[in-house]
Amino acid sequence: MYNDFFSEEEDLYLEATQTVDCESRAAALNQANSEILCGGITLVRALIMEMKEERALDVAQNLILPAEGGNPLGQDTARIQKTLADPKLEFALACKDLLTAARDRKLNTFVQISVAHPTEQSLTRYANTEVVEGTRDPLFLTGVTFPSEYPIYEETKIKLTVYDVKDKSQETVLPEASDPRTNRGKSLLGCSTFKVRDLVKSKEQQLSLNLKTLNGGKKIGNIEVSLVKMGELENGEADRITTDVHGQKCSLVCECSSPEAISGKDSLLNAVFRNPIYKFYRFPSSENKWMCVREQMAESSMSFHIPKQLLSLYLKEDTRRIEQLKELGDLSPHWDNLRQNVLAHYEEMVSVYQESLAELEKHTGSSFKSSCSKGEKSLEFVPINLHLQRMRVHSQKLKDALYDVITIGAPAAHSQGFKNGGLRRLLSRFEAEKKNTGYQCIYYSPENTAKAKEILSSVNHLQPLISSHTDLLLNSAKLQSAESLKNSLKTLSETTEQFVRSFKDQLVSNALLALSTARPSCANKKLTDPLNNTEDDKTHEQDNVHQITRQDSIPHLSDYDEEEWDRVWANVGKSLNCIIAMTDRLLEQGNSTRENKTECSSEDLTSEHNGDWYEQLHPLIITLKDCVEEVVDRAKKSMTFVVFQELACGLPQCLQLTFRRDVVFSQALSGLTCGFIIKLHSSLHNEAFLHQLHTVGLLVQYEGLLSTYSEEVGMLEDMSTGISDLRHVAFKITEAKSEDFLPVVTGRRESFMVEVKLPTKMFELLPQEIKDGKLLCVHPVFFNVGINEQQTIAERFGDTSLQESINQENVEHLEEYYRMCIEKVPSECPQLMQDQSDLKELLENLHQNTQAKKRKNVEIMWLAATICRKMNGVRFTCCKSAKDRTSMSVTLEQCQILRDEHDLHKDFFVRALDCMRREGCRIENVLKNIKCRKYAFNTIQLLAFPKYYRPPDGTYGKVTN
């Protein structure tokens, strides 16, 4: 069936293109398009029914739209793609003079929109408006939008069916097979049909249609269809449609697009975001002017792309660690047994990573993980329900404003469970146990363990660079090029000095001393503890080490030369100084040679004064390399021994915690990468933001809605650690050298870099500092306020200290970021200076709220989000699955923005909120996740929710999740 369709497509086009006459050829091509489209749609539906989503998408992406003249909006022939292009067609609806059987009864109406394609007889339900209550002249705020990939034609028929809702608790969405005249809770009033051609070619771009009943064709009122264009108009003027709102006239004003508007041709965004959903609204302002609002929601390819890269890096790092442990050399039986135990656990963890990576590599289909899969082991590194939520607004006050929020399920190890808590608690407990319990190892602080890992990373990075730079220096000497010799020496000196500085730490010499005690030759020698000298010095190594649990209590050997490391380390610097002195002498002799060249032949000068530069430098280079090799060997072994201590004294908890932290971080980084890219893309023309980005770094603000009760406490503990770990991430922006715009992750645990590749035209807009490769740091802050019934239990009978601690810690981080901005970017960021007094007041207010003992203090969320937007930050909203509570929060935030920034009419705030929750992108998100258009709340639960976090009647209920 699948192959037959494409074979038939080729035959139809071959036949059409062989038509000689131009008009006949155009008609034949249009006919071929229609036939192929009809067959393609049928095939797509069949494939979906067979659960073959990938093949269905393949067919859909190969359906050809009509050529110029057959397309209602005059677009060129194009292939269907699930991209973030602007919608193809949008219109608004209003009814007038609706009749009802009982004159004294007020109508509660909504419109169902259905579509019939030219080659099809059956109707497909497409969308609904919201319910407008208590009027015979309903004006619907929810519009109808057809995305760019939707196959719509001039001859496409659109049916508008008006229903009267009697029971608001029932869904407005009717089942496909239901009889609309007898559906429980609602009754059909009338319907009307029009062709797309009639609307787009009408003089006023508006239709007034009669609504008639199904039986007998009795007229029951009128319905008005108004075409809306949020993009540029051909004559450059604004499109105005006048409609009555509660007896007042409102002009629908649609401004032109800005450069930041998403384009379907944007290869960067199309690589990162997929399968967008669009919703359109029109809301009145306080000045009785219409504002146009478009909601967009898109999933991200980062959901799987980032975890796969991280898993590869985890495998690389852990495989190298296994090699380093094996290269420690001979150890005494006690230490060797510990090493074998560590290696066994490490190899087991590597095997798990390999299996996880293999599972992700096999994944096809949707690029998001649904809430139903949050506990699935094979997808544990993948973020839950990751989406971009965008609101684009055209209003009189602000033209083409964009507001973005990344929504993501709480980054947490859901598949591992929360019986013993999350990372914040587990890590704290692990460190306490290491300090207070006698282990058969040496205790190093987390800071020193991290430093050891950093030194190991520096060694692996710098040694090959030194080797490469010495080869370049010798090559310059062989060519006897003075300028090249100077440059090569400068680069070698800088790299070698950086190498030497890496080991300027007492940790290395202490670790070498400790390692020497672990050698077999020391097994029967006496050890002394300088802080605990006792008369009994007859104990063997195992007993001594058992007593030693602090770093400052490292055993000493009377025959161990503590100064040996200092000599070895200093020899690198001495070798470099010899090379510098020799190079300076060679260059000086070269200058002398040039001055005397009038007296001697060139050959005489070279042999007599210069000698062979290469032969004079070569032995010194060999000495430097030998010294570096010796330092590297000792440093690697000593720092591996430090890392080994944490592993040896903490098995199996240490590696279990590492694994859990990797899972949480993978989810968090996937979301962060989405947020960085969309913020960068929308701010390429914002010079103040770009300066702030490379001077201070990017502010990322996470809003959490988790309760501090039951398993959500563990999620909150995981999430707080995962977000904090994002401080170890840096971004680097480069110019793309191909059509591959997917970001690349490099580095190791606690030091990752994400390379974001921009098309040339975008890259040219960046400041020179960013073009030169400056690393861009991240400043994450996290605020959490539980809002559900479980939080009520925690507040009355449980403990909310975790939430209080997180909020108080992060308000300090936010204040520090504000201080950095004021110090470093005052003149370059005038908007920040203008908002300085407001920001200071907001921060003080936020600080006070985090200290207040107020239940469900959602004002913390509103203040933090406002501060984030004013400081050019990236917004994230999270709950357990980013589905229900998250939907309530982002829709509330959108309406608050419309009220505060765009003067949304105060009487329409709640209506706008209900529109977005009932018919907007978030209810579509619920449908994507659980195949049901119901928020997972019940009436009793919602009694505990803050007022504006409750969904409208009929949109919630019991669901199987």
Side-chain angles (χ1 to χ4, degrees):
M1 174 176 64
Y2 179 73
N3 294 327
D4 291 346
F5 167 71
F6 289 105
S7 176
E8 184 179 342
E9 178 185 13
E10 292 177 4
D11 293 342
L12 284 167
Y13 271 101
L14 181 61
E15 182 180 343
T17 53
Q18 288 176 345
T19 308
V20 177
D21 180 71
C22 291
E23 292 186 6
S24 300
R25 187 186 304 124
L29 282 169
N30 280 338
Q31 179 63 27
N33 282 337
S34 297
E35 292 184 29
I36 290 167
L37 181 64
C38 180
I41 291 172
T42 303
L43 177 56
V44 168
R45 288 175 177 167
L47 289 169
I48 290 173
M49 291 296 290
E50 294 176 17
M51 302 299 289
K52 298 178 180 177
E53 296 178 357
E54 281 293 297
R55 288 193 169 187
L57 182 60
D58 189 14
V59 174
Q61 290 177 335
N62 283 277
L63 297 181
I64 305 296
L65 296 177
E68 181 92 2
N71 188 315
L73 300 184
Q75 296 177 340
D76 293 334
T77 300
R79 290 186 177 270
I80 294 177
Q81 293 180 359
K82 287 283 187 179
T83 64
L84 285 176
D86 286 339
K88 181 183 297 183
L89 176 67
E90 291 175 316
F91 57 82
L93 298 169
C95 293
K96 284 189 177 181
D97 304 322
L98 293 178
L99 300 179
T100 179
R103 291 189 176 183
D104 58 340
R105 185 181 178 279
K106 293 183 178 180
L107 294 172
N108 302 321
T109 53
F110 75 94
V111 181
Q112 179 175 287
I113 298 91
S114 302
V115 177
H117 294 291
T119 56
E120 294 183 331
Q121 298 299 318
S122 60
L123 287 165
T124 302
R125 189 186 65 234
Y126 182 76
N128 286 352
T129 67
E130 81 283 9
V131 176
V132 178
E133 301 178 22
T135 178
R136 294 174 59 233
D137 301 313
L139 188 147
F140 300 99
L141 303 182
T142 306
V144 183
T145 182
F146 291 91
S148 61
E149 73 274 5
Y150 194 86
I152 194 165
Y153 304 87
E154 286 188 352
E155 296 302 313
T156 297
K157 291 181 181 180
I158 296 177
K159 183 178 181 180
L160 308 173
T161 308
V162 181
Y163 290 92
D164 177 23
V165 179
K166 298 175 183 177
D167 183 357
K168 288 174 58 180
S169 66
Q170 298 297 315
E171 282 188 89
T172 56
V173 177
L174 302 178
E176 290 281 3
S178 66
D179 184 343
R181 293 168 293 187
T182 60
N183 192 270
R184 186 181 64 170
K186 52 188 74 71
S187 61
L188 186 149
L189 292 179
C191 57
S192 186
T193 304
F194 69 93
K195 289 184 178 181
V196 171
R197 176 187 59 198
D198 300 333
L199 176 60
V200 298
K201 292 191 175 181
S202 62
K203 186 175 181 181
E204 300 295 330
Q205 295 196 320
Q206 183 175 2
L207 298 177
S208 181
L209 307 171
N210 293 331
L211 284 170
K212 295 184 179 182
T213 59
L214 290 179
N215 50 355
K218 179 183 175 182
K219 179 180 177 182
I220 57 95
N222 296 324
I223 186 165
E224 292 185 352
V225 186
S226 303
L227 187 68
V228 177
K229 294 182 180 179
M230 289 186 75
E232 288 190 39
L233 304 179
E234 290 183 3
N235 58 7
E237 297 178 356
D239 181 25
R240 297 176 180 270
I241 303 172
T242 304
T243 316
D244 188 58
V245 182
H246 284 266
Q248 297 177 331
K249 297 288 184 178
C250 286
S251 295
L252 178 58
V253 181
C254 302
E255 306 293 346
C256 296
S257 304
S258 73
E260 289 84 2
I262 290 180
S263 165
K265 297 179 181 178
D266 194 315
S267 49
L268 173 65
L269 288 192
N270 290 338
V272 177
F273 297 101
R274 297 175 178 175
N275 299 327
I277 294 173
Y278 300 88
K279 298 291 179 176
F280 169 77
Y281 316 94
R282 53 176 180 174
F283 300 129
S285 69
S286 56
E287 298 177 351
N288 295 323
K289 299 286 186 181
W290 282 115
M291 67 178 78
C292 294
V293 179
R294 182 185 295 150
E295 255 192 316
Q296 295 173 245
M297 183 182 73
E299 61 196 49
S300 176
S301 59
M302 297 301 97
S303 291
F304 287 84
H305 179 70
I306 296 297
K308 285 192 284 189
Q309 292 192 79
L310 280 176
L311 278 166
S312 296
L313 292 172
Y314 293 152
L315 281 167
K316 181 179 179 182
E317 181 178 349
D318 291 345
T319 302
R320 184 187 298 128
R321 186 79 69 237
I322 289 172
E323 293 171 355
Q324 290 168 348
L325 286 169
K326 291 178 178 179
E327 291 169 358
L328 269 178
D330 292 338
L331 298 176
S332 67
H334 163 70
W335 291 109
D336 194 50
N337 288 337
L338 287 177
R339 174 168 59 177
Q340 296 307 318
N341 193 20
V342 169
L343 287 173
H345 280 85
Y346 244 128
E347 287 166 354
E348 183 180 340
M349 192 165 79
V350 165
S351 176
V352 173
Y353 284 138
Q354 289 171 336
E355 291 174 7
S356 297
L357 181 58
E359 286 295 323
L360 295 189
E361 293 287 2
K362 290 190 294 187
H363 177 83
T364 58
S366 178
S367 54
F368 92 108
K369 180 172 102 175
S370 73
S371 62
C372 300
S373 303
K374 61 176 168 281
E376 195 170 322
K377 182 70 177 173
S378 62
L379 299 177
E380 61 185 334
F381 288 88
V382 179
I384 302 165
N385 196 16
L386 175 61
H387 282 82
L388 163 67
Q389 176 81 17
R390 164 167 284 191
M391 181 174 71
R392 179 179 170 190
V393 186
H394 291 270
S395 68
Q396 288 286 79
K397 189 172 181 180
L398 286 173
K399 299 179 180 180
D400 201 37
L402 294 176
Y403 303 94
D404 294 328
V405 178
I406 302 297
T407 60
I408 180 176
H414 297 272
S415 63
Q416 298 177 37
F418 306 96
K419 182 178 179 180
N420 298 313
L423 281 168
R424 187 180 173 107
R425 190 191 327 175
L426 293 170
L427 289 168
S428 176
R429 185 188 302 159
F430 176 68
E431 287 303 320
E433 289 175 352
K434 280 204 304 180
K435 289 180 182 178
N436 300 326
T437 306
Y439 287 101
Q440 301 293 316
C441 59
I442 302 168
Y443 173 76
Y444 287 93
S445 68
E447 293 76 18
N448 278 330
T449 303
K451 188 183 294 181
K453 293 176 182 177
E454 185 179 346
I455 291 173
L456 283 169
S457 178
S458 295
V459 167
N460 291 326
H461 173 65
L462 294 174
Q463 185 187 15
L465 285 181
I466 291 174
S467 178
S468 173
H469 295 329
T470 53
D471 292 343
L472 289 173
L473 184 69
L474 286 175
N475 188 55
S476 300
K478 189 178 293 185
L479 298 173
Q480 294 195 355
S481 168
E483 192 62 32
S484 177
L485 198 65
K486 287 180 185 178
N487 294 334
S488 299
L489 179 64
K490 182 175 182 293
T491 306
L492 175 62
S493 299
E494 291 172 351
T495 306
T496 308
E497 287 167 6
Q498 184 182 352
F499 176 83
V500 171
R501 284 196 301 272
S502 299
F503 305 110
K504 196 175 183 179
D505 197 295
Q506 189 64 30
L507 177 65
V508 181
S509 57
N510 284 347
L512 282 168
L513 172 59
L515 177 59
S516 70
T517 68
R519 297 299 184 193
S521 58
C522 299
N524 297 316
K525 289 186 179 181
K526 295 178 181 180
L527 306 177
T528 61
D529 182 348
L531 299 184
N532 187 26
N533 291 322
T534 65
E535 294 181 2
D536 183 9
D537 57 357
K538 299 179 180 180
T539 53
H540 291 288
E541 179 213 5
Q542 181 168 337
D543 295 329
N544 271 289
V545 175
H546 181 72
Q547 298 172 16
I548 299 165
T549 59
R550 298 188 56 81
Q551 184 187 327
D552 55 1
S553 304
I554 293 172
H556 285 250
L557 289 171
S558 56
D559 59 349
Y560 178 77
D561 186 354
E562 295 186 41
E563 296 180 356
E564 183 181 3
W565 164 249
D566 293 333
R567 290 193 295 272
V568 171
W569 171 60
N571 283 342
V572 175
K574 292 176 181 178
S575 299
L576 177 64
N577 289 335
C578 290
I579 293 172
I580 293 172
M582 175 59 74
T583 304
D584 289 342
R585 192 174 76 182
L586 292 173
L587 291 172
E588 185 179 345
Q589 289 176 350
N591 291 334
S592 174
T593 300
R594 283 190 291 273
E595 291 173 3
N596 298 325
K597 66 179 180 180
T598 55
E599 302 175 10
C600 307
S601 69
S602 176
E603 291 182 5
D604 290 341
L605 288 171
T606 300
S607 59
E608 183 179 345
H609 297 284
N610 270 7
D612 190 331
W613 287 11
Y614 177 87
E615 289 185 1
Q616 293 186 60
L617 281 173
H618 185 261
L620 300 180
I621 294 292
I622 295 299
T623 302
L624 174 63
K625 285 186 174 182
D626 290 342
C627 291
V628 168
E629 183 64 36
E630 186 173 4
V631 168
V632 166
D633 180 65
R634 295 185 183 220
K636 272 189 174 181
K637 289 177 179 176
S638 64
M639 294 299 94
T640 298
F641 192 70
V642 172
V643 176
F644 171 45
Q645 301 308 306
E646 180 184 58
L647 298 166
C649 67
L651 286 177
Q653 296 93 333
C654 180
L655 289 182
Q656 289 172 351
L657 286 174
T658 298
F659 183 81
R660 188 181 190 102
R661 202 167 187 170
D662 288 347
V663 166
V664 175
F665 179 78
S666 174
Q667 297 174 26
L669 183 61
S670 300
L672 174 64
T673 305
C674 287
F676 181 89
I677 291 173
I678 198 68
K679 182 64 180 179
L680 178 65
H681 182 276
S682 63
S683 305
L684 283 170
H685 298 273
N686 186 339
E687 293 182 8
F689 165 76
L690 294 174
H691 182 83
Q692 180 182 343
L693 179 62
H694 74 76
T695 306
V696 183
L698 180 69
L699 174 67
V700 289
Q701 184 254 323
Y702 289 80
E703 171 184 314
L705 299 161
L706 297 171
S707 69
T708 54
Y709 181 78
S710 189
E711 68 172 13
E712 289 198 5
V713 176
M715 293 180 203
L716 186 55
E717 291 171 337
D718 273 356
M719 185 175 174
S720 64
T721 300
I723 291 172
S724 179
D725 284 347
L726 294 176
R727 299 177 189 279
H728 304 302
V729 176
F731 285 87
K732 182 179 180 181
I733 304 174
T734 60
E735 183 178 1
K737 303 302 181 184
S738 68
E739 292 301 310
D740 180 8
F741 298 102
L742 290 174
V744 176
V745 185
T746 55
R748 59 174 179 83
R749 292 180 182 91
E750 301 175 3
S751 181
F752 284 108
M753 185 188 76
V754 182
E755 178 191 355
V756 175
K757 295 177 280 188
L758 292 185
T760 301
K761 289 185 179 179
M762 292 184 183
F763 186 77
E764 290 172 351
L765 298 172
L766 298 174
Q768 193 59 47
E769 292 88 346
I770 297 179
K771 288 182 184 178
D772 290 341
K774 184 174 183 180
L775 295 182
L776 311 173
C777 58
V778 176
H779 299 269
V781 293
F782 173 38
F783 296 92
N784 187 85
V785 176
I787 63 171
N788 65 0
E789 78 289 351
Q790 289 189 325
Q791 187 62 23
T792 302
I793 298 172
E795 290 170 341
R796 294 185 179 179
F797 310 109
D799 182 11
T800 61
S801 59
L802 173 62
Q803 177 174 285
E804 292 165 7
S805 297
I806 289 171
N807 291 343
Q808 289 166 12
E809 290 167 9
N810 282 276
V811 77
E812 293 179 4
H813 295 323
L814 188 56
E815 288 170 344
E816 177 60 26
Y817 181 80
Y818 168 74
R819 285 192 290 270
M820 290 169 63
C821 286
I822 295 302
E823 290 172 4
K824 296 185 178 181
V825 293
S827 58
E828 292 81 359
C829 196
Q831 184 62 41
L832 196 62
M833 295 305 295
Q834 291 170 13
D835 293 337
Q836 186 174 348
S837 58
D838 289 343
L839 279 168
K840 193 171 182 181
E841 184 178 344
L842 287 167
L843 282 165
E844 289 174 358
N845 198 352
L846 178 61
H847 187 92
Q848 291 170 6
N849 274 277
T850 58
Q851 299 292 330
K853 299 290 184 180
K854 182 179 178 182
R855 293 176 177 174
K856 296 181 182 172
N857 189 1
V858 291
E859 190 173 353
I860 289 174
M861 301 308 203
W862 304 343
L863 288 166
T866 302
I867 292 168
C868 176
R869 286 193 298 271
K870 284 182 175 290
M871 298 186 72
N872 299 317
V874 181
R875 285 272 298 109
F876 291 80
T877 299
C878 316
C879 63
K880 181 164 67 174
S881 59
K883 177 171 60 68
D884 304 305
R885 282 169 281 178
T886 294
S887 295
M888 299 303 103
S889 180
V890 295
T891 49
L892 177 58
E893 181 177 353
Q894 288 177 171
C895 288
Q896 287 173 329
I897 290 171
L898 293 176
R899 178 193 64 196
D900 300 339
E901 304 294 336
H902 299 274
D903 295 330
L904 174 66
H905 197 290
K906 63 179 181 178
D907 295 339
F908 282 79
F909 181 84
V910 174
R911 272 194 66 185
L913 197 55
D914 284 356
C915 281
M916 290 181 177
R917 290 172 175 174
R918 188 183 294 277
E919 304 297 341
C921 288
R922 298 314 301 183
I923 198 69
E924 299 295 338
N925 182 271
V926 172
L927 182 64
K928 282 180 71 171
N929 278 276
I930 61 173
K931 312 304 180 189
C932 174
R933 291 170 64 91
K934 289 278 191 182
Y935 299 112
F937 305 128
N938 61 49
T939 304
I940 296 176
Q941 283 179 309
L942 291 176
L943 291 174
F945 277 53
K947 178 181 177 181
Y948 289 113
Y949 288 83
R950 300 171 188 171
D953 290 343
T955 63
Y956 59 88
K958 184 178 180 180
V959 296
T960 303
N961 190 355

